[in-house]
Amino acid sequence: MSFEKLVFYTFAAILVYAATRVITVRNPVHAALHLVLAFFTSAALWLLLEAEFLAITLVLVYVGAVMVLFLFVVMMLDINLVSLKEGFMRYLPVGLGVAALMLIEMILVVRSKAFDAASMPVPVRHAADYSNTRELGGVLYTDYVYPFEIASVILVVAIIAAIALTLRKRGESKTQNPAEQVKVRREDRVRLVKMATEQPERADSGEHS
Amino acid sequence: MIPAPGEFVLLIPEIFVLSMACLILVLDLFLRDNERVISYWLAQISLGFVAVITLALNDGQTHLVFHGTYIADPMAAALKVSIYLVTALAFLYSRHYLYERGLFKGEYYVLGLFAMLGMMVMVSAHSLLTIYLGLELLSLSLYAMVAFNRDAYPCTEAAMKYFVLGALASGMLLYGMSMLYGLSGSLDIELIAQALGGKAPSAPLIFTTTFIVVGLAFKLGAVPFHMWVPDVYQGAPTPVTQFIGSASKIAAFAMVMRLLSESIGSLQPQWGDMLAVLAVLSLAIGNVVAIAQTNLKRMLAYSTISHIGFLLLGILSGTQQGYAAAMFYVITYALMAAGAFGMIILLSRAGFEADEISDFKGLNQRNSWFAFMMLILMFSMAGVPPTVGFYAKLAVLQAVIGVDMLWLAAVAVFFSVIGAFYYIRMVKVMYFDQAEDDTPLAAHFDLRFGLSANALAILLLGLFPGSLMSLCRQVFGN
C-alpha cells in the first residue's frame, strides 16, 4: 500500500467515525465538536485531491467561523433532549428501510460501468507552482459569473426573510439615547435635601429585653 | 472567458427586477406606514416595465450566453411574460387583504419580486447549476412568504412543512443532478443531451432519471409526493397561496421542460412511463379526494393536484404537440387559479377568511356579478366549453391520443367527469342555496376590476383560443 493510500484510508476512517458520532452522541456540544473533526478530516482528503484552496476554505470558514458560532448557539439554547429523542424508535424502521434502499441504489450506481476507473479520465498531476486558487477565481468570475451572482441574491433573500420574520418593534423595549444622556445635569439626577441631624438611638433601648 | 458586454443585454430583465427589488427594499425603510403603498406601486410598475423589456429583447431566436448557463429563447420570453402577468394579479389581489390584516409591508413585495426573479432564472436556465439556484431562490422566498403572518399558528406550521419537504425534494433533485453530471461530464443542458444521445439506457441513467423525476414531482405536487400541497395551501395567507398556485406552476413547467425534455430527452420512453404513473395517480387522488373537502382552499389544492396530472399528460407524450399543449395548459391554469383564489380574497374581510365552501352560499343573492365570475372560473376548471379550460384539456388529450395512448386519455376523461362534480357543487352552492351572511361585498375598486378582467379573460380565451395556442405551437417550432 502506498503512503498516499494509507493517508487516505486513515483520514477516511476518522471521517466516517466522526460523522457517525455527530448523530449518535447525546450531548449536542460533543456532536458539534465531532462535526469539527469531520470537517478537518474531509479537508485533509481534499488536500490529497490537490484542492488546497477548498481545503483551507473549509477549515477557515466552517471550522473557524460557522462551527464556533454553532457551538455558541448550542451552549446558549436550552435544548430538551428527551423531547427531541421522542419517536426515534417509532421512526427507526422506516428510516432504516429508506437508508437501506438508498445504500443499494448508491452501490448499484457507483459500481456500474459508467463510474469505474476505466471510463473515467485519469487525473492529471500538477506541478508545484500550479495555483488552484487562481484557476478557481478564473472560472468563478468569468464563466460562472451568472450562477455566482444568483447565489449572492439567494443570500440577500435569506437575510431579508430572517429579518422580516423575526424583527419585532415592541413598545415596551427600553433603549438608550446617548444625546439625552450627555445633556443630563446634576439637578436632574440628585436632589439635595437639607435635614436636621437626628439623635442616634440609644444602643440599649428596645433591644433584648 | 470574460462575458462580452453584449451578453449582459440579454440579461437586462433579470438585472432590472433585481435592481428594483433592492431599490424598494431600501426605499421602504424611509417610508412611513401610511406611505407604504408607494412600495406596492413601484413593484407593479417594475412588473410592467420588465414585460416591455422582455418583449423588446425577444427576437424569436435562441441565444446562449454566459458560458451556456443562460438561454434566451421564445419559450423563455413567453413564459416570463405570463409569469409577470400572474404575479401582477397576485400583487393586486394581495394589497387590501394584507392592509386589513396589518401585514401590508414592503418586504412582502420585495420577497415577491425575488421569488419572481427565481422563476425568471429557472425559465431561462440552461445549466443544472442555474436551474437549481433559480429553484432555491424561488423556494426560499416562498417559505418566507408562507410564514409572513408569523403570529398565526397555521401559517408557521404550513411554512415549516413546506420548508422541510422542499429541502427533501431539493436533496432528491440534487442527487439526480450529481449523477447526471457524473454520467455526462457536463452541467450544460445541451452538452448533457449530446453526451447521453447515443447511449442505451443503463441502470445508472435510470436511477438518475428516477431521482430527477421524484424531485420534480415533489416540487409540482404530483401524487404520491403531494402531501404538502393541501396543508400549505390551507395554512398560507390566501394571496400567498394564490402566488404559489399560479405563477410558480409556470416556472415549474419550464424546469420540467429543461430538465426532462431538453437534457435527457433521449430517455423519453423511461421518464414518459414514470410521468404516466404520476399523472394517473394525480388525476385519481386529486379529483376523488377534492370531493370530500369542505374547505375551499383545500379543495382547490386537490384540484391543483389533478391539474398537475393533466400537465404531466401533455409533457409525457414527448412530442412538440404535447409540449405546446402542456404550455397552453399551464398558462391558462395559472390564470384560473389566480382568479379562484382571488374570489376567496374578495369575499374575505378582516377576521373572516371566507375559505369554507359554505361561505359562498347564496353568493348570487349578495352579488350576482361576482357569482357569475366564479361560475366562469369553476366551469373553466371543470373543462366546460366555451371556457378556456375546455380547450386546454382538449389540446392535451389530442396530444396523448396523437402518441397512441388511448387508455391514458380515457382515464383522464373519466376522472375529469368525477372532478366536474365538485366544481359544479360550488355553482349549486352559489346559486341555489340560501345566503347565511347578508353582508354586501365591500371590496375595493381595483380588486373588483382585476378579478372581473381575470375571469372575463378566461371566457375570452375560451372563445378565441387561437392566438395563445398558435403562440405555444410557435414556441415549439410547429
Side-chain angles (χ1 to χ4, degrees), chain A residues 105-106 112 142 164-165 167-168, chain B residues 1 70 150-151 175 204 211:
Chain A
E105 285 179 1
M106 281 172 92
S112 70
T142 54
L165 294 181
L167 182 70
R168 282 167 200 276
Chain B
M1 191 184 65
Y70 181 91
R150 59 192 183 189
D151 296 320
Y175 191 48
F211 276 103

Side-chain angles (χ1 to χ4, degrees), chain A residues 25-88:
Chain A
V25 287
R26 284 177 173 278
N27 189 331
V29 177
H30 291 178
L33 288 173
H34 275 104
L35 197 56
V36 170
L37 181 63
F39 282 140
F40 261 117
T41 41
S42 32
L45 292 183
W46 289 5
L47 271 180
L48 271 183
L49 290 169
E50 298 188 3
E52 314 89 28
F53 178 74
L54 289 179
I56 293 166
T57 319
L58 185 70
V59 173
L60 282 183
V61 176
Y62 276 87
V63 179
V66 176
M67 285 318 296
V68 170
L69 207 64
F70 203 82
L71 267 178
F72 273 119
V73 173
V74 168
M75 285 178 194
M76 279 191 218
L77 287 180
D78 181 24
I79 302 171
N80 189 354
L81 285 173
V82 181
S83 67
L84 277 181
K85 290 217 184 291
E86 241 172 53
F88 179 76

Side-chain angles (χ1 to χ4, degrees), chain B residues 193-200 266:
Chain B
Q194 279 172 16
L196 300 181
K199 284 185 188 166
S266 59

Side-chain angles (χ1 to χ4, degrees), chain B residues 104-355:
Chain B
F104 191 67
K105 292 176 194 152
E107 290 91 53
Y108 183 86
Y109 296 103
V110 171
L111 285 171
L113 282 180
F114 274 120
M116 199 187 78
L117 181 65
M119 295 179 204
M120 293 164 71
V121 171
M122 280 162 79
V123 166
S124 274
H126 196 257
S127 145
L128 298 182
L129 204 56
T130 29
I131 291 178
Y132 179 71
L133 285 172
L135 177 67
E136 283 306 290
L137 182 56
L138 166 66
S139 313
L140 208 59
S141 314
L142 286 183
Y143 303 145
M145 285 173 86
V146 170
F148 206 72
N149 190 5
R150 59 192 183 189
D151 296 320
Y153 178 72
C155 277
T156 43
E157 187 193 327
M160 205 62 213
K161 277 182 186 160
Y162 194 25
F163 179 70
V164 172
L165 283 171
L168 186 67
S170 294
M172 292 281 180
L173 200 61
L174 265 186
Y175 191 48
M177 283 179 174
S178 69
M179 285 200 275
L180 196 56
Y181 177 59
L183 290 167
S184 65
S186 177
L187 290 171
D188 191 303
I189 298 281
E190 209 173 291
L191 298 180
I192 292 172
Q194 279 172 16
L196 300 181
K199 284 185 188 166
S202 56
L205 259 181
I206 306 275
F207 277 124
T208 306
T209 316
T210 314
F211 276 103
I212 287 180
V213 167
V214 168
L216 291 176
F218 253 119
K219 293 289 177 191
L220 281 169
V223 179
F225 309 104
H226 67 290
M227 301 80 73
W228 58 274
V229 181
D231 291 343
V232 171
Y233 273 41
Q234 191 185 6
T238 315
V240 181
T241 311
Q242 184 206 4
F243 191 51
I244 297 176
S246 56
S248 74
K249 296 292 177 238
I250 302 179
F253 165 75
M255 181 170 67
V256 175
M257 287 304 297
R258 302 272 186 224
L259 265 178
L260 292 186
S261 148
E262 291 181 17
S263 72
I264 48 175
S266 59
L267 289 164
Q268 196 274 333
Q270 279 75 33
W271 56 252
D273 287 349
M274 295 180 198
L275 292 191
V277 174
L278 293 176
V280 169
L281 284 176
S282 300
L283 284 166
I285 305 276
N287 279 321
V288 173
V289 180
I291 293 173
Q293 304 304 318
T294 55
N295 183 298
L296 186 56
K297 274 158 101 180
R298 262 189 115 74
M299 187 193 100
L300 287 175
Y302 281 104
S303 131
T304 303
I305 294 171
S306 72
H307 284 286
I308 288 297
F310 252 100
L311 178 67
L312 292 177
L313 282 185
I315 297 171
L316 72 87
S317 67
T319 55
Q320 302 299 327
Q321 188 197 2
Y323 297 150
M327 184 172 159
F328 184 82
Y329 199 95
V330 78
I331 292 175
T332 53
Y333 173 70
L335 275 178
M336 287 185 248
F341 287 109
M343 282 301 298
I344 303 180
I345 295 174
L346 178 83
L347 260 67
S348 72
R349 48 182 186 267
F352 174 64
E353 286 300 322
D355 59 352

